[in-house]
Amino acid sequence: LDVILECRADSKLEECVDEVRALRDVTKSLTFAMGVEAKRYDMGDELFRRLRKGITTEQCVEQAERLHELDCDVKAYTIIGSPWLGGPSFLEKGYRKNIDWLIETAFDTVKFEINDMKVEIVGIAPFFPYKHTNEPIPEDWCPISATEATEVANQLKQVTDVRIDFTSRSIHFPYGNFWIKRNEKK
């Protein structure tokens, strides 16, 4: 089996080294996936704080190093266009400025995952709010289109040898369409 397990950058890996080795020995491949979500070099760990990740850049890199020392692969998740990142306001600066900043953030995140964490796989997906999204969506945010998200993934595939796993999700809203709620025309 090819096994991918989820872990956090602050997981206590040292407490289960024997179990990880045993699992690695009986699988074809063992990968641990961590949710980095969003990272910008010009903002340090600020995006992690905004996303309430409870982790640091240093923890991501150190956890990836420990997993590699155990002969495991590492996968990191990137979310394109999370609404809590900040950047140029959609309402004040317009869609293009807002979305360009979010796409630039996705590229910076993947750069961090590949260059600093040395991941073998990047999982990338656009953010769409689901019914039970924990935090209110800011009024000055709008979702990235599936077409633009696909193009981001395609461009990333062209500039790296690291495997890019792209998933585009359907939009699920509890109270109607995003654009209708904002009185926007289709």
Side-chain angles (χ1 to χ4, degrees), residues 80 107 145-158 166:
I80 307 171
F107 272 84
S145 73
T147 302
E148 286 176 307
T150 302
E151 184 56 31
V152 169
N154 288 336
Q155 287 182 21
L156 286 167
K157 289 176 184 179
Q158 293 175 30
F166 175 70

Side-chain angles (χ1 to χ4, degrees), residues 27-83:
T27 60
K28 181 179 171 190
S29 70
L30 181 59
T31 301
F32 282 87
M34 288 185 275
V36 173
E37 322 310 5
K39 167 81 175 119
R40 288 181 66 99
Y41 286 99
D42 61 346
M43 294 180 73
D45 286 336
E46 178 58 25
L47 294 185
F48 288 160
R49 282 189 283 283
R50 290 181 186 180
L51 293 172
R52 297 183 183 172
K53 296 284 298 167
I55 59 171
T56 65
T57 299
E58 186 177 337
Q59 287 174 307
C60 291
V61 172
E62 289 174 357
Q63 188 75 307
E65 288 172 354
R66 285 191 290 270
L67 290 164
H68 284 126
E69 288 169 4
L70 291 169
D71 293 322
C72 297
D73 286 344
V74 177
K75 178 177 185 175
Y77 292 116
T78 300
I79 297 177
I80 307 171
S82 179

